[in-house]
């Protein structure tokens, strides 16, 4: 039997490795893989559309670098780490753009195949987590198998709308792919992923175009959500519960978790349940207390927030942190209100539609509109494109290149 290797196989492999690397939760490895892939796939030209997305991220980085010259006590390690960290979305967009230009012929199949590979790996890890490590609680399952996967949600939605993206799977193949990726995405048990799926699904259905039907649908969703939340409240799930009840507790505390303004750090339950809000409170207090200059321009790269006590973050206890959960807050810390103002344009970018008669490009436009709405939430609760383990940046750069080619 003759095996044919595609002429662009190495670029397909680079795409898969670049998508997979962040799931290993090693930032140094991710940046190494991304940087290598970027260097070996570099292009001679880049579109204005891509530059418009990258420019605000470059501006935030530039402001943060200049501001840091006014602070002489920052440690070199944190300065270098912040530069690399703030460059991550930029490298991701460029990398995705470059790899798409090497994979125009099978672009969407490559996106889906990479997602299926990630999903199968996740399901295998889930099996070992539950059978070998006896993970039964939501917290234990997520600890062993991963906390979220934005990429798999994008892939799942693309599979559901496979005909619109001209993938045209047979009913049998569609069912297999949808079950594999859908089950894997579900088992991250991540509230933001559920919200992401709903937003992207509604966007591709065209419901973000304002009309009577879309208004009716959104009012129905809001009413259903409110009723569902009150049902959860009436069930009063316990904080230390296992399984589904533990997941319901996460839903119970979700609405207030990112927005609570008063937290008792002496009360472990209150502090732990609302830790993200605590980070926000400390960031705003410590940036604004030094006057209008850091408030407007931030405290630069290398700056840190004092949590006033040691907190378990990942696998270590930390009191001073330079990386936060909230994307808006990290931009505020590094580059102030000016940086926030510039950073908001990265969200508005996704609402700009490219005129086209191409059906694929039209649905990429809709996918971007959904991404814009999702990024408001993602930036607030999970760092958005700055998240250390996210792969959205590569996918977005990939889709920008495809949209430019076939608009």
């Amino acid at each position: 039997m003759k095996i044919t290797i595609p002429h662009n196989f190495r670029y397909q492999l680079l795409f898969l490795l670049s998508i997979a690397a962040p799931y290993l939760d090693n930032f140094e490895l991710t940046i190494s893989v991304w940087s290598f892939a970027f260097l070996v796939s570099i292009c001679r030209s880049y579109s204005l559309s891509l530059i418009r997305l990258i420019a605000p991220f470059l501006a935030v980085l530039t402001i943060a670098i200049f501001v840091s010259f006014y602070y002489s006590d920052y440690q070199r390690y944190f300065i270098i780490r912040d530069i690399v960290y703030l460059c991550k979305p930029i490298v991701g967009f460029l990398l995705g753009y470059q790899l798409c230009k090497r994979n125009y012929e099978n672009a969407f199949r490559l996106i889906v195949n990479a997602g299926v590979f990630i999903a199968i790996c996740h399901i295998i890890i889930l099996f070992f987590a539950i059978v070998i490590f006896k993970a039964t609680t939501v917290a234990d399952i997520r600890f062993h198998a991963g906390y979220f996967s934005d990429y798999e949600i994008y892939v799942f939605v693309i599979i559901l709308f496979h005909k619109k993206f001209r993938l045209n799977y047979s009913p049998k193949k569609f069912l297999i792919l949808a079950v594999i990726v859908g089950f894997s995405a579900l088992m991250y048990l991540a509230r933001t992923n559920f919200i992401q799926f709903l937003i992207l699904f509604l966007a591709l259905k065209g419901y973000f175009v304002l009309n009577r039907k879309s208004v009716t649908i959104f009012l129905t969703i809001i009413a259903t959500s409110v009723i569902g939340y009150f049902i959860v409240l009436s069930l009063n799930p316990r904080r230390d519960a296992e399984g589904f009840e533990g997941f319901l507790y996460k839903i119970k505390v979700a609405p207030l978790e990112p927005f609570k303004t008063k937290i008792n750090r002496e009360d472990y339950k209150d502090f732990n349940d609302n830790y993200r809000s605590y980070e926000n409170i400390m960031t705003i207090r410590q940036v604004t207390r030094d006057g209008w200059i850091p408030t407007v321009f931030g405290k630069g790269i290398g700056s840190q927030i004092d949590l006033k006590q040691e907190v378990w973050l990942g696998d270590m206890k930390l009191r001073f942190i330079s990386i936060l959960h909230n994307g808006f807050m990290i931009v505020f810390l590094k580059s102030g209100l000016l940086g926030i103002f510039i950073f908001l344009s990265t969200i508005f970018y996704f609402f700009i539609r490219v005129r086209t008669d191409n059906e694929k490009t039209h649905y990429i436009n809709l996918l971007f509109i959904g991404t814009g709405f999702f990024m408001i939430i993602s930036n607030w609760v999970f760092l958005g494109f700055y998240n250390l383990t996210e792969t959205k940046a590569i996918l977005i750069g990939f889709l920008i290149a495809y949209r430019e080619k076939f608009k």
Side-chain angles (χ1 to χ4, degrees):
M1 184 176 73
K2 185 178 180 180
I3 299 176
T4 303
I5 298 177
H7 66 88
N8 61 344
F9 174 75
R10 61 174 176 171
Y11 295 112
Q12 294 182 29
L13 181 60
L14 283 175
F15 180 82
L16 176 60
L17 291 175
S18 299
I19 293 296
Y23 285 87
L24 299 177
D25 199 15
N26 185 311
F27 184 59
E28 291 77 11
L29 175 64
T30 297
I31 287 299
S32 298
V33 172
W34 284 21
S35 298
F36 173 76
F38 169 77
L39 291 174
V40 300
S41 63
I42 198 164
C43 299
R44 293 182 178 180
S45 62
Y46 296 88
S47 71
L48 182 60
S49 178
L50 178 68
I51 294 172
R52 284 173 180 161
L53 178 58
I54 289 175
F57 290 95
L58 279 173
V60 168
L61 174 62
T62 303
I63 294 169
I65 290 175
F66 276 105
V67 169
S68 64
F69 289 130
Y70 290 94
Y71 299 89
S72 59
D73 57 340
Y74 290 162
Q75 298 178 38
R76 183 176 298 178
Y77 167 78
F78 290 106
I79 292 174
I80 295 173
R81 189 175 73 163
D82 277 0
I83 292 175
V84 176
Y85 175 70
L86 293 176
C87 284
K88 180 179 178 287
I90 300 169
V91 175
F93 294 135
L94 290 170
L95 176 57
Y97 185 90
Q98 293 170 186
L99 291 177
C100 181
K101 295 188 79 170
R102 303 292 197 281
N103 291 283
Y104 281 134
E105 297 175 6
N106 61 340
F108 280 93
R109 292 191 185 277
L110 178 58
I111 291 172
V112 171
N113 290 341
V116 172
F117 173 78
I118 297 297
I120 291 173
C121 291
H122 181 229
I123 292 171
I124 293 172
I125 294 171
L126 274 171
F127 174 81
F128 281 100
I130 295 172
V131 176
I132 306 299
F133 296 102
K134 308 300 180 183
T136 56
T137 67
V138 172
D140 286 343
I141 290 173
R142 300 184 75 204
F143 175 78
H144 287 287
Y147 292 97
F148 74 103
S149 179
D150 290 352
Y151 184 81
E152 286 181 64
I153 297 297
Y154 276 101
V155 171
F156 185 50
V157 170
I158 289 172
I159 291 172
L160 293 182
F161 290 85
H162 65 103
K163 293 182 179 179
K164 304 300 182 182
F165 293 103
R166 303 290 177 85
L167 291 169
N168 297 322
Y169 294 126
S170 66
K172 181 180 179 180
K173 187 170 185 178
F174 164 75
L175 182 62
I176 292 172
L177 295 179
V179 169
I180 291 173
V181 178
F183 176 74
S184 173
L186 173 67
M187 289 307 295
Y188 284 100
L189 302 172
R191 293 162 295 181
T192 50
N193 276 166
F194 292 134
I195 295 172
Q196 178 192 5
F197 169 73
L198 179 62
I199 290 174
L200 295 181
F201 182 82
L202 292 174
L204 287 179
K205 293 291 286 185
Y207 293 148
F208 287 136
V209 178
L210 193 62
N211 54 45
R212 181 178 296 180
K213 183 177 181 179
S214 64
V215 170
T216 302
I217 289 172
F218 277 108
L219 288 176
T220 302
I221 291 173
I222 292 171
T224 303
S225 299
V226 171
I227 294 171
Y229 182 68
F230 277 107
I231 291 174
V232 171
L233 287 180
S234 67
L235 293 173
N236 194 26
R238 295 167 296 147
R239 185 180 185 278
D240 56 351
E242 297 184 359
F244 185 65
E245 186 179 358
F247 179 70
L248 290 180
Y249 180 81
K250 291 177 67 66
I251 294 176
K252 174 185 173 182
V253 300
L256 291 179
E257 182 184 354
F259 304 104
K260 198 170 182 181
T261 57
K262 292 184 179 181
I263 298 168
N264 181 7
R265 61 191 181 95
E266 303 300 328
D267 182 341
Y268 171 77
K269 291 182 180 180
D270 187 34
F271 181 81
N272 189 66
D273 287 349
N274 301 287
Y275 172 72
R276 293 180 189 180
S277 288
Y278 181 77
E279 273 189 357
N280 298 341
I281 293 168
M282 290 295 102
T283 302
I284 293 172
R285 283 181 183 174
Q286 293 175 32
V287 172
T288 58
R289 73 183 178 189
D290 293 333
W292 70 269
I293 293 179
T295 301
V296 175
F297 299 104
K299 304 185 77 171
I301 55 172
S303 55
Q304 299 181 76
I305 293 300
D306 182 2
L307 297 174
K308 304 299 182 182
Q309 66 185 62
E310 289 191 331
V311 178
W312 276 108
L313 295 173
D315 58 353
M316 63 183 72
K317 271 190 173 183
L318 298 172
R319 173 171 172 171
F320 297 91
I321 59 172
S322 61
I323 298 173
L324 313 172
H325 281 82
N326 188 312
F328 296 112
M329 287 298 116
I330 200 164
V331 171
F332 180 60
L333 172 63
K334 308 301 179 182
S335 58
L337 290 174
L338 178 59
I340 289 288
F341 178 77
I342 295 171
F343 183 64
L344 287 173
S345 66
T346 66
I347 295 175
F348 297 140
Y349 170 89
F350 292 102
F351 297 110
I352 301 173
R353 301 177 67 177
V354 173
R355 292 183 180 180
T356 181
D357 294 324
N358 185 290
E359 185 178 40
K360 280 188 181 180
T361 304
H362 170 68
Y363 277 89
I364 291 175
N365 282 337
L366 294 181
L367 197 61
F368 275 15
I369 291 173
T371 298
F373 281 108
F374 174 63
M375 290 312 300
I376 298 172
I377 299 171
S378 180
N379 277 310
W380 188 260
V381 301
F382 229 45
L383 279 172
F385 290 116
Y386 285 120
N387 192 292
L388 301 180
T389 59
E390 73 85 33
T391 55
K392 291 189 300 295
I394 293 178
L395 179 61
I396 295 302
F398 196 95
L399 292 176
I400 289 173
Y402 192 91
R403 185 173 68 171
E404 289 294 315
K405 175 71 173 179
F406 297 100
K407 65 180 180 180

